[in-house]
Amino acid sequence: MNAQGRRNLLQAAPFIGPFLLLYVGLLIYPLLDGLTLSFHRADPFGGRAFAGLENYARLASDPVFGQALGNTFKYAVVVVPVLTAITLALALALNKPGRTASVFRGLFFSSAVLSVTIITLIWRFVLTPDAGLLAEVWEAAGREPVPFLSHPDLALLAVAVATIWWSIGLPMMLFLAGLQQIPEDIFEAAALDRANRWTTFRRITLPSLRRTAVLVVMLQTAAQLQLFGQAQLLTAGGPGGASRPVVLFIYETAFTRWELGYASALAQVLFVLILAVTLLQFRAGTSRREP
Amino acid sequence: MKSRALLRLAAVAIMGAAMGCAPEERRTEISVQRFFGECGAVYGRSTEVAAAEGECGIVTTLINRFAAENPDLDVDANVVAWPGYAQLTAQIAAGDPPDLVTMHQSVISDYQARGLLEPMDDLLRQAGVRPEDFTAAGRRGVTKEGLIYGLPWDTVGGLYHVNTGLFAQAGLMTNGKPVVPRSAEELLEHARRFKSATGRPYLIQSQVNDPATHVRNLYTYLLAQDAVVFPDPQHIRLRTPEARRVVELFRTLEREALTTRNQDYPAATASFLNGEGGVFLTGTWMLGPFEEEARTPGRPLHDSYAVIPYPRLWGRRAAFVDGHAWVAPKRERSPEQRRALARFIGFMAAHNFDWSRTGHLPAFRSVVESPEFQALPHRSDIAPLAAAGAPLPSFVQRQAAIESMVGEELASAITGAKTVEAALRDAERRVNDLLARL
Amino acid sequence: MKGLADRHRLSPLALAGLSVAALVMVAPLLWTVALSLKSNAELMRDSGTAFFAPYTLENYRAILQGSQVFGWLLNSLIVSLGTTLGVLALCSLAGYGFARLEFPGRRALFVFVLLGLAVPEQAVILPRHQLFADFGLHNSYPGLILPGLAAPFGVFFMAQYFRGIPRELDEAALLDGASRWTLFWKVLLPLTWPAQATLGVFTFLASWNDYWWPLISATRSDRFTLTVGLASSQMNYAQTSGLGYLMAQAVFAALPILIVYALFQKQIVGAMAGAAAAR
């Protein structure tokens, strides 16, 4: 490294140093420690025995992990596009001055302030076939209530619905912010050109939101592939594992089975998968040239 | 402006926190950790044990009472979220476990096998508590490899909670007692008769999010048939005619809609309270609340409640039971602290009757036989559980994890998502996979 | 100019659609509030009674009498505010560094930080627990605050925001003889207020609602945060016997945040104008 480089590094150190220190200490070090752990049989109390690739060989042939992985991706493939579309639509509709839009923004943001313990409690009492809110409505209409939380084909969907309801706030805000950054004069110019609304939307609004959309999709993909609390508390992964995501499996493996090595191996695999998917999205989203 | 207000708020908060740690005089400190919920709102510092109701109320007032009677001790009582094992594991891993902690007897072997618990024989002797006075179930529950690892506090098991009003409608009462089936065929016959007479399902079961329900049934009836479920610490054996028989029975009940379906625990409880079925298969802990309903005029259960142990359907009379215990995680302790712990243990043992008002069976024979316990409603009906009840073999570790695996597979078989054979095979594979790596 | 005026008003169709969506959004919340206002005994029999009077405040009274609730609230405030302030400070510095400074390995380091976005918490929580045990950090405020500070999203977010600020500002300031530090502190940082507000709100929310880390790090009840404290009040079968109480807890825990949101909603939404991450 030349003198200039060293000087620049020295100059940058006070800015990025503190964060990097904590980042490495609190995230990267434990991650690497977890990687080491994944080559061991280990329990939470410091017992460790080297096991080579045993844990990885094991997960490759573990049907429960296979099911959990399938669930996780199935779920993300539903939640991410739906959530993105809903929040984009909401942002487009609510990117307006005035009281009405502001009240609506508040309403759609409100669920984001609740913790996962609470939203699952709420949705249990919406979805349960006995005396749930939907069941009451269904029964009032003379229909047999649907067992959302215990039907193998519906349980994961129930988790997805609860999550979408819960997660609208952040992406909607990001889209709103993206919209507000589009300079007003572009729209005025388009109006002068007598462009109709659809054309304006397609030619101006959407392209300007592309980077926001990529960000939202990446963040949501990473977040949804880490689905945990909602599934644990709403369906406990059931019935028959039909709604068990990978992270719940990791949690069970670590905390009720005390198989820390295996849990770490599972976590490493999930980490690599999330990384791969989000990187692909990033490349797909930024490869074309900006308009 | 805003940031200054925030800063001030933070400053006030930090000072408030600092004030909380005022210096205190030198008293022997013991830390006691328990689950059963936090109910300081109702019981606060009350020491009126006799006036308290329910698990949380009774345990809160008991600990308050102990603290009040022992002013020379500083009793630090910590309440953890149910069931508290993630926290306990974290505390032990961090080298800072509590002095005494509530633990299910089925969980003891996990910590004991890893050398994380102290054998309690000495502490019990110091407290003047004799293991010979424990009930059979209680003693089995805390004994591991010949040593005693806890003060058993109760025996908890599954019971047949009966709506006698509906039973009468179906002609299933004689001499004011529910008619109990004596075989699987007879149970199905009763259930069908019950359904055609009342239009309601015979059984109420919490089958969603509740693996314990099915596992309790399976273990109980495997015990009754003297089936060997765990031939050794590394294996479970479920692909047996005995197991198939039990699962098939519950599959048939489900298929013929002789039981409620798709209910989780709160839903099943509400169903029973509202008189929507004949028998609720749940544990000792609901005895108190149901008894209270039975005393309340106007309620569907009013004067219509009885409770009995699981009927004998195959083999002999048996019941799979668990129980709660106080255990002592290994850590450094001064002689004063050990004496203080012994006092706490002695106190809890002496108040075993108070705890049995929760509905759980006492862990001391003298309490089971005492007139005051027998005078509590229904207790004489369920007392056999304290003698006949049996846990899994004490060498079986990870019973909680095993329960959720087996329960999950059983649920698949009973709802018909898998065949009985496939479910038992999968359960066996998953459990053996876990046990092989201990 | 018709098109322009149009874009500032909600069409009746949009209004109708939004109202339906808002109803779906709010119905579960109203259901929760209704349940919280019913007596537990009544709900145990039939939660459908929540549609009808009589309503009662007994559950809220019970919460307020719970001696420890205010302590938990205070802990949550300290932890959430501490995390938020820490994240804002660290991420502003780092975001500026990555956006504006040239130094060897900058790109690689930035990608290294972004990797953090893909790390599932479960992958680090156990080794981190051990680490904190070694340093005696459990059951302490630093122990609860520190993990939240390793926030790669915040760095990414702030870096993008700094990139959106015209470089001419820097050049002008540097020409005037300002140091890098003055430039950051006096010129650029004040311009990032919208991004700070946004990042602050989301960090605060995430910290306030965090569950697993406080559950295993704060094991003493006087160190519980509100989320963990309320969870500890739930008995094993509390859903049956104390449904109304549980729901009142849910409302109670959400209330402080709702108030904060109501107070700051203008800033939050308005401020995000410039904050669009991806500029």
Side-chain angles (χ1 to χ4, degrees):
Chain A
M1 193 186 299
N2 59 26
Q4 177 66 36
R6 229 180 340 244
R7 208 163 38 243
N8 286 343
L9 205 57
L10 225 58
Q11 193 180 39
F15 289 99
I16 57 168
F19 174 81
L20 277 182
L21 209 65
L22 283 170
Y23 176 70
V24 170
L26 295 167
L27 208 69
I28 300 303
Y29 165 76
L31 187 70
L32 293 178
D33 197 19
L35 183 65
T36 325
L37 212 54
S38 74
F39 298 110
H40 291 76
R41 280 189 190 183
D43 71 12
F45 313 107
R48 285 189 189 192
F50 186 72
L53 291 173
E54 182 195 85
N55 290 321
Y56 290 94
R58 187 175 166 198
L59 69 84
S61 62
D62 186 339
V64 181
F65 173 62
Q67 185 191 30
L69 198 62
N71 290 339
T72 307
F73 276 88
K74 238 191 307 183
Y75 162 87
V77 163
V78 172
V79 170
V80 174
V82 171
L83 188 59
T84 309
I86 290 178
T87 51
L88 176 59
L90 283 175
L92 287 169
L94 295 176
N95 184 31
K96 309 227 162 23
R99 219 174 151 66
T100 322
S102 150
V103 168
F104 274 119
R105 284 195 299 261
L107 287 180
F108 287 109
F109 185 77
S110 58
S111 64
V113 309
L114 304 172
S115 72
V116 65
T117 27
I118 292 165
I119 68 119
T120 48
L121 207 56
I122 294 175
W123 278 90
R124 186 220 164 252
F125 284 98
V126 172
L127 295 175
T128 175
D130 293 86
L133 180 60
L134 277 184
E136 301 279 341
V137 174
W138 242 253
E139 270 170 2
R143 309 264 304 268
E144 180 84 355
V146 182
F148 291 104
L149 300 175
S150 55
H151 192 287
D153 299 333
L154 296 177
L156 195 60
L157 196 67
V159 175
V161 169
T163 306
I164 291 171
W165 178 83
W166 185 37
S167 314
I168 279 179
L170 171 63
M172 181 183 77
M173 291 289 174
L174 289 174
F175 277 127
L176 274 171
L179 281 169
Q180 298 200 1
Q181 279 198 325
I182 306 173
E184 193 67 5
D185 45 8
I186 302 187
F187 289 112
E188 285 168 19
L192 287 178
D193 285 348
R194 298 178 176 281
N196 66 27
R197 294 174 78 175
W198 174 242
T199 316
T200 315
F201 174 70
R202 221 163 38 93
R203 292 282 173 75
I204 301 175
T205 316
L206 268 192
S208 316
L209 283 179
R210 205 160 67 88
R211 297 186 72 164
T212 309
V214 171
L215 176 76
V216 166
V217 168
M218 281 176 59
L219 282 178
Q220 285 304 323
T221 306
Q224 300 309 335
L225 290 176
Q226 297 177 44
L227 165 68
F228 171 48
Q230 302 95 293
Q232 189 201 28
L233 298 166
L234 199 56
T235 62
S243 62
R244 176 189 286 118
V246 174
V247 176
L248 177 56
F249 186 50
I250 294 174
Y251 174 82
E252 292 169 353
T253 308
F255 278 96
T256 68
R257 292 162 57 175
W258 291 359
E259 295 187 88
L260 246 51
Y262 190 40
S264 299
L266 293 165
Q268 301 300 326
V269 170
L270 180 66
F271 166 58
V272 170
L273 286 174
I274 294 175
L275 195 62
V277 173
T278 43
L279 281 182
L280 275 179
Q281 287 171 338
F282 183 71
R283 291 197 49 174
T286 51
S287 58
R288 276 174 296 150
R289 294 205 54 80
E290 293 293 303
Chain B
M1 280 306 281
K2 248 156 220 143
S3 58
R4 190 173 307 163
L6 283 183
L7 274 179
R8 194 173 308 145
L9 194 60
V12 169
I14 289 164
M15 273 166 55
M19 307 254 286
C21 336
E24 47 192 60
E25 55 200 288
R26 292 266 307 140
R27 292 188 296 170
T28 307
E29 195 188 320
I30 57 168
S31 59
V32 175
Q33 182 162 299
R34 64 166 185 85
F35 42 74
F36 301 122
E38 208 272 340
C39 45
V42 186
Y43 293 99
R45 304 244 48 96
S46 164
T47 55
E48 294 297 317
V49 179
E53 289 290 337
E55 290 176 337
C56 186
I58 294 175
V59 74
T60 302
T61 49
L62 275 175
I63 294 178
N64 288 345
R65 177 97 168 260
F66 176 76
E69 288 177 4
N70 296 274
D72 57 321
L73 300 183
D74 181 9
V75 183
D76 170 25
N78 197 28
V79 183
V80 287
W82 180 270
Y85 297 120
Q87 296 92 316
L88 181 65
T89 301
Q91 287 169 314
I92 295 177
D96 186 26
D99 284 311
L100 282 173
V101 60
T102 49
M103 186 174 278
H104 289 88
Q105 290 164 11
S106 60
V107 174
I108 292 178
S109 53
D110 286 0
Y111 292 89
Q112 175 269 335
R114 192 63 183 73
L116 302 168
L117 297 182
E118 228 172 84
M120 258 205 193
D121 305 67
D122 279 350
L123 269 176
L124 290 175
R125 199 171 311 123
Q126 218 174 329
V129 176
R130 301 189 324 146
E132 303 84 77
D133 297 338
F134 298 161
T135 60
R139 186 160 188 183
R140 270 197 292 264
V142 295
T143 308
K144 309 286 160 189
E145 299 178 52
L147 292 176
I148 296 197
Y149 280 92
L151 172 75
W153 214 22
D154 56 29
T155 294
V156 177
L159 294 170
Y160 241 53
H161 298 269
V162 179
N163 183 325
T164 51
L166 291 175
F167 258 49
Q169 267 184 50
L172 288 172
M173 296 290 285
T174 49
N175 303 329
K177 295 251 179 209
V179 180
V180 181
R182 282 159 305 178
S183 67
E185 295 70 39
E186 202 172 41
L187 188 144
L188 284 172
E189 192 251 309
H190 284 190
R192 290 177 191 129
R193 179 157 24 128
F194 184 94
K195 190 166 185 198
S196 63
T198 65
R200 289 165 204 182
Y202 178 76
L203 280 189
I204 292 173
Q205 296 186 90
S206 111
Q207 307 195 60
V208 176
N209 267 1
D210 193 2
T213 295
H214 293 313
V215 173
R216 197 158 49 225
N217 298 340
L218 179 71
Y219 286 172
T220 291
Y221 286 119
L222 287 178
L223 283 171
Q225 300 177 77
D226 289 317
V228 178
V229 191
F230 291 91
D232 60 74
Q234 260 74 52
H235 293 93
I236 191 172
R237 193 185 287 160
L238 290 174
R239 279 185 294 172
T240 57
E242 289 90 344
R244 263 175 231 126
R245 223 171 263 152
V246 179
V247 185
E248 292 286 1
L249 169 64
F250 284 92
R251 169 76 192 122
T252 308
L253 287 162
E254 178 90 6
R255 196 174 43 225
E256 295 185 19
L258 302 172
T259 172
T260 57
R261 293 188 270 203
N262 294 312
Q263 289 188 321
D264 58 10
Y265 189 81
T269 308
S271 272
F272 186 66
L273 290 178
N274 291 319
E276 288 162 10
V279 178
F280 184 17
L281 295 181
T282 189
T284 39
W285 54 89
M286 288 312 284
L287 208 156
F290 291 160
E291 174 56 27
E292 199 178 313
E293 284 284 299
R295 282 196 309 259
T296 313
R299 298 292 308 141
L301 276 187
H302 182 233
D303 275 340
S304 298
Y305 173 63
V307 59
I308 47 175
Y310 273 33
R312 192 190 66 84
L313 300 179
W314 296 278
R316 61 184 175 87
R317 181 175 280 284
F320 166 69
V321 295
D322 196 352
H324 303 106
W326 288 95
V327 302
K330 260 196 189 140
R331 62 174 297 164
E332 292 276 309
R333 290 188 181 89
S334 66
E336 296 85 58
Q337 276 177 322
R338 303 188 68 84
R339 274 195 290 279
L341 293 189
R343 265 150 73 186
F344 186 89
I345 288 167
F347 177 88
M348 284 299 161
H351 286 81
N352 197 228
F353 166 73
D354 291 298
W355 182 246
S356 71
R357 290 198 298 109
T358 55
H360 305 312
L361 285 158
F364 288 85
R365 274 191 317 214
S366 57
V367 180
V368 178
E369 287 153 12
S370 70
E372 49 180 350
F373 175 73
Q374 296 282 342
L376 290 174
H378 308 295
R379 294 320 197 276
S380 53
D381 297 325
I382 64 167
L385 220 57
L392 295 186
S394 66
F395 57 72
V396 182
Q397 296 182 46
R398 307 294 182 274
Q399 291 185 24
I402 293 172
E403 178 183 281
S404 42
M405 289 177 185
V406 175
E408 186 174 307
E409 297 297 340
L410 288 181
S412 294
I414 288 164
T415 56
K418 276 184 189 174
T419 63
V420 172
E421 193 53 39
L424 290 175
R425 186 192 61 225
D426 288 348
E428 213 177 82
R429 179 184 47 71
R430 288 173 67 182
V431 174
N432 284 342
D433 191 42
L434 166 68
L435 292 177
R437 288 177 167 81
L438 289 178
Chain C
M1 283 298 176
K2 177 173 170 293
L4 203 62
D6 256 12
R7 292 197 310 106
H8 288 302
R9 207 173 300 129
L10 284 164
S11 72
L13 194 69
L15 199 62
L18 282 170
S19 302
V20 172
L23 192 71
V24 173
M25 201 65 203
V26 173
L29 294 175
L30 293 178
W31 181 237
T32 310
V33 173
L35 288 169
S36 77
L37 293 170
K38 297 295 288 183
S39 87
N40 292 314
E42 212 177 336
L43 290 177
M44 189 151 152
R45 287 155 203 158
D46 180 10
S47 53
T49 58
F51 286 118
F52 315 102
Y55 294 108
T56 163
L57 285 173
E58 68 176 58
N59 297 314
Y60 289 93
R61 220 172 0 248
I63 291 177
L64 294 180
Q65 282 163 357
S67 45
Q68 292 184 293
V69 145
F70 290 99
W72 298 337
L73 198 64
L74 192 66
N75 290 342
S76 272
L77 271 175
I78 293 171
V79 170
S80 301
L81 283 176
T83 309
T84 307
L85 294 177
V87 164
L88 290 182
L90 288 166
C91 295
S92 300
L93 286 169
Y96 170 79
F98 281 117
R100 278 297 206 265
L101 301 178
E102 274 306 328
F103 55 90
R106 183 177 63 97
R107 263 192 79 85
L109 264 183
F110 194 55
V111 171
F112 173 65
V113 169
L114 291 189
L115 287 188
L117 284 174
V119 179
E121 194 183 10
Q122 297 300 322
V124 294
I125 202 162
L126 294 162
R128 187 201 280 154
H129 185 273
Q130 195 56 52
L131 186 72
F132 277 49
D134 294 343
F135 285 93
L137 283 170
H138 290 301
N139 287 309
S140 75
Y141 290 130
L144 290 170
I145 291 172
L146 279 170
L149 299 186
F153 174 69
V155 173
F156 176 71
F157 191 76
M158 291 311 297
Q160 298 289 36
Y161 196 84
F162 276 111
R163 284 196 185 126
I165 300 174
R167 284 211 177 240
E168 291 80 39
L169 279 175
D170 303 36
E171 283 149 22
L174 290 174
L175 276 180
D176 282 352
S179 70
R180 277 280 166 197
W181 181 255
T182 320
L183 170 65
F184 166 74
W185 185 248
K186 289 272 174 62
V187 181
L188 296 182
L189 198 60
L191 293 176
T192 63
W193 155 242
Q196 306 274 353
T198 313
L199 182 59
V201 167
F202 286 112
T203 307
F204 188 91
L205 279 182
S207 176
W208 185 266
N209 288 330
D210 195 11
Y211 180 61
W212 286 115
W213 178 254
L215 182 74
I216 60 169
S217 180
T219 46
R220 299 184 41 85
S221 52
D222 55 348
R223 280 289 179 264
F224 285 171
T225 59
L226 193 60
T227 336
V228 178
L230 294 184
S232 78
S233 329
Q234 301 180 12
M235 270 180 280
N236 40 340
Y237 292 116
Q239 280 191 28
T240 348
S241 50
L243 176 56
Y245 182 64
L246 226 52
M247 288 305 186
Q249 289 185 332
V251 176
F252 183 78
L255 221 51
I257 307 234
L258 277 175
I259 291 170
V260 170
Y261 175 77
L263 289 177
F264 288 93
Q265 106 125 318
K266 240 209 184 95
Q267 282 87 334
I268 293 166
V269 182
M272 292 187 83
R279 279 294 121 168

